[in-house]
Amino acid sequence: MRTWIKSASFAIAATALLGLAGTAGAGETIKIGVTQPLTGAVAASGNYVVQGAKIAESFVNESGGVLGHKIELIVEDNKSNPKEAVATAEKLIVRDKVTVMMGAWSSTYTLAVMPKLMEYGVPMVVETSSSGKITTSGNPWIFRISPTSAMEAQSFGTKVDQFDIKKADFLVVNNDWGRGAASEFKKMLEGKGISVGVVETMDAKAQDLSAQLAKIKASGGDTLFVTSGVEQITLILKQVKEQRVSHRIITTGGSSSPDQLIAQAGAAAEGSYHLLFFAPWFPEAAPNPDVAKKFVDEWNKRGHNFAGLTEGFRGHDGIMTIAAGIEAAGKVDSDAIRQALWGVKVDGVNGDIAFIKQGPAGKESGQNVPNVYIVTIRDGKVALP
Amino acid sequence: MDQFLQHLLNATMLGGTYALLGIGLTLIFGIMRVVNFTHGELYTFGAYMVFFFTMTLSANFFLALVFAMVLGIALGAAIEFVLLRRLRGASIDTTMLVMIGAWIAMQNTEQLAWTGVAKSVNHPFPIDPLVIGPVSVSWIRIFVFCVAIMLIVGTHLLIHRTRLGKAMRSTFQDRETAALMGVNINAIHTATFALGSGLAAAAGALLGPVFVLVPGMGDMAALKSFAIVILGGMGNFMGAALGGFLLALVEELGAGYISSGYRDGMGFLIIIVVLIFRPTGLFARAERIG
């Protein structure tokens, strides 16, 4: 009798659960999973990306949605932690039954999530990560709109003569992003006959960088390449002044939010250079000025922080790419969307988005070739160099 | 040579704040034997309070430092009063779990209140550093160092030269006997936790303007504080202060001459070595058994 009651109640509970899952799957909207760092070390950037993604969500829905349905973003917080990133992907795919995702900001989180995409067969548009490994490791579910560190280095290489660099040093965050950027830029600089001094790393949470800077100062270079998030760039600019390091600073990776640097590092930010993938101060100079202007206007209308635009556009371009992919697929199915993404042409804020093949033959990942901009901080304002 | 001198100077400045973090925790972790996971959050709290007073209310910078420390003491007293008082007879595991919960709750509250966007605090010191021959140091770091030393010496005197200090020491040596001698045990527990918390908040208040403020900034601070306390010997006041300077020196020289990627690992390497050869800590005297 007792066992019977037990199994009966179990059955009822199981049915209830299944019922819930059923209603969630048969909803009116097309769900898109988003995993971003909303808390933790790089929370600011992740929140900006989500703000940009939500703007794209509204744009798509205002213009009639996709395949006659509205799209709906399901946003999960990966807590600036690769383990949590995996958990969010699992949750989005298994419980929310999303057929396509966007994420996961840092290369380290994206690399952690990638095996899950293979396991469940769900495509992911990568909006920020730049480690080369992401598109060369043979994961056919990856479509990256952000540039690889190699592309960024190559693009900077075409303008490197303007900077007259004799000897360069590096200070990068100790993860896939930072170390990848250092090795690609080093390769490019050495290819141009520029000598490279020291390559120093720092923990993503480190606040005191005096030891690294004392070593960099002693190396005697003239230019310091920095790869990290805006929080650490702020600290570096301040501490470079304290230790009288005379290097010119160039940041890579596009996460430097120059306006935030001006506000927080003040005079210490003066004269620094920043590689960016969107220059919101000059939307008319973007390859698709109308798209860029519309996005910047909506961002300002919503009262978002202007400094976040250099991150926020990634979310916009990512969701626009996914929406185009679903539309082209003609149905809400992961494999159909994956195949359709190969053919999409999207007018993004950064520029025209389309995918080329990277990685081992037969299981290539998609890689976009984005535009790279250089800005500088002059007289407390962002300017073109 | 110039690089070495700069490393030494950097280590001294950093050591002052590590020592301040260490002594705050050694009072709580070393003497009260409470594994205080909220130490880093009190550090963060101190930093955000300075931000709130100077940047939002435009109060005087030095006044804001004092307010932040006083509020840190009050918050510490509240944590003791609300959470720890009920757990006095409980096992160390129970206390630890409650403190982990408090840590997570506090960090998320900070995130909610201040958002994840980094904040920075303006300070009245000049941006151009003080240059001494081949080395340089910023004025704010000199100020932080001096205040840290004053707080360390002040706390030392409080514990070793005052009636309150004597009551604290006796309480944690033998609670029953101290109670029989007329010491108000409950008040002493609250006062000790509040003092340790106040020192953590002071460290955050002092370092906030040097660095940038993010809700997770306390994690690394707490980890280092535990390392310093273990290094110096549990509950050993001067040990924690010296442990702070030692940790800073190892980190600086390790990062400067071995590998910056292992900078934070260096400190823990030293701790492993110390625990192998001197399990009670570097500066611990023979343990007294009550």
Side-chain angles (χ1 to χ4, degrees), chain A residues 38-39 44 174 200-201 203 205 207-208 210-212 214-215 218 231 234-235 238-239 241-244 264, chain B residues 3 6-7 10 14 111 118-120 129 131 134 136 138 141 211-212 219-220 252 255-256 260-261 263-264:
Chain A
L38 305 181
T39 58
N174 195 2
E200 294 296 303
T201 61
D203 184 88
K205 280 191 172 185
Q207 294 221 316
D208 187 286
S210 53
Q212 285 91 331
K215 196 171 169 187
E231 295 85 358
T234 310
L235 288 166
K238 282 185 177 181
Q239 291 175 28
K241 270 271 179 307
E242 287 173 20
Q243 305 238 342
R244 292 182 306 145
Q264 303 203 338
Chain B
Q3 189 191 344
Q6 184 70 54
H7 281 312
N10 291 345
L14 188 62
Q111 172 93 40
K119 302 263 188 291
S120 102
V131 180
S136 61
S138 68
R141 289 219 189 196
F211 299 135
V212 292
D219 291 349
M220 199 60 113
E252 271 284 333
S260 53
R263 176 177 177 156
D264 298 299

Side-chain angles (χ1 to χ4, degrees), chain B residues 178-193:
Chain B
L180 287 173
M181 299 296 155
V183 174
N184 182 346
I185 304 288
N186 281 337
I188 292 299
H189 272 268
T190 310
T192 312
F193 197 88

